[in-house]
């Protein structure tokens, strides 16, 4: 049994889903581990991770729009606003999604469905540099 650890740095351009499938696939392949379990961990409280359709970009647009309606930036609704009016809604959106994903690995690749992709979901308006820790254990 082997373990590998890596930090993936992702630049965002404001709110929305950022595809991270390719760099994750490339890193898993570089480890030489053929079978195992990959854990992805987002080191932030205002961004999250998700598995979502990767064929039609309008899916990601609809998801982003849905979260805007579900958790609006309405300063009258929140007490916490230390970093601006998008701060507390970003925390709530992260809480409603995931900061951690587990994906099986087989034949040296994450086992994703035909239409599945991995995404960082940025919940803040400003561009950020996000860190995702990748941990792979296997043989």
């Amino acid at each position: 049994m082997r373990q590998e650890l890596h930090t993936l740095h992702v630049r965002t351009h404001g709110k929305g889903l950022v595809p991270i499938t390719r760099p994750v696939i490339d890193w898993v392949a570089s480890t030489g581990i053929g079978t195992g379990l990959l854990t992805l961990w987002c080191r932030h409280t205002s961004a999250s991770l998700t598995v979502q359709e990767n064929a039609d970009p309008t899916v990601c647009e609809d998801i982003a729009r849905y979260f805007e309606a579900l958790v609006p930036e309405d300063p009258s609704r929140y007490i916490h606003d230390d970093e601006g009016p998008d701060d507390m809604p970003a925390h709530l959106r992260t809480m409603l999604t995931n900061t951690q994903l587990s994906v099986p690995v087989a034949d040296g690749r994450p086992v994703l469905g035909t239409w599945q992709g991995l995404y960082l979901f940025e919940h803040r308006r400003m561009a950020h540099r996000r860190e995702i820790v990748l941990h792979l254990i296997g043989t």
Side-chain angles (χ1 to χ4, degrees):
M1 193 70 60
R2 289 184 37 225
Q3 295 187 62
E4 296 287 338
L5 192 65
H6 175 69
T7 301
L8 180 65
H9 299 277
V10 179
R11 292 197 182 279
T12 69
H13 302 286
K15 290 181 185 179
L17 286 95
V18 180
I20 60 169
T21 308
R22 176 51 46 202
V24 171
I25 287 173
D26 291 346
W27 177 77
V28 169
S30 77
T31 68
I33 294 176
T35 303
L37 182 64
L38 171 65
T39 301
L40 296 86
W41 174 255
C42 182
R43 298 188 64 204
H44 305 278
T45 60
S46 56
S48 55
L49 300 169
T50 190
V51 175
Q52 202 40 254
E53 178 174 328
N54 65 0
D56 183 350
T58 62
V59 170
C60 291
E61 292 172 24
D62 284 342
I63 290 168
R65 245 185 262 123
Y66 176 82
F67 271 86
E68 287 296 321
L70 184 66
V71 187
E73 285 185 29
D74 178 356
S76 69
R77 296 177 64 151
Y78 314 110
I79 299 168
H80 176 76
D81 65 354
D82 290 355
E83 296 177 39
D86 68 334
D87 190 27
M88 190 61 213
H91 294 305
L92 292 171
R93 292 172 185 159
T94 298
M95 195 171 104
L96 293 170
T97 53
N98 298 302
T99 53
Q100 180 265 328
L101 297 173
S102 296
V103 181
V105 170
D107 299 320
R109 290 181 55 96
V111 180
L112 296 170
T114 302
W115 308 114
Q116 288 182 320
L118 302 169
Y119 293 88
L120 171 73
F121 194 177
E122 176 62 66
H123 301 300
R124 300 295 305 270
R125 277 190 256 132
M126 299 274 302
H128 284 82
R129 185 172 182 261
R130 300 300 192 172
E131 293 183 357
I132 302 168
V133 176
L134 309 177
H135 176 251
L136 178 57
I137 186 165
T139 57

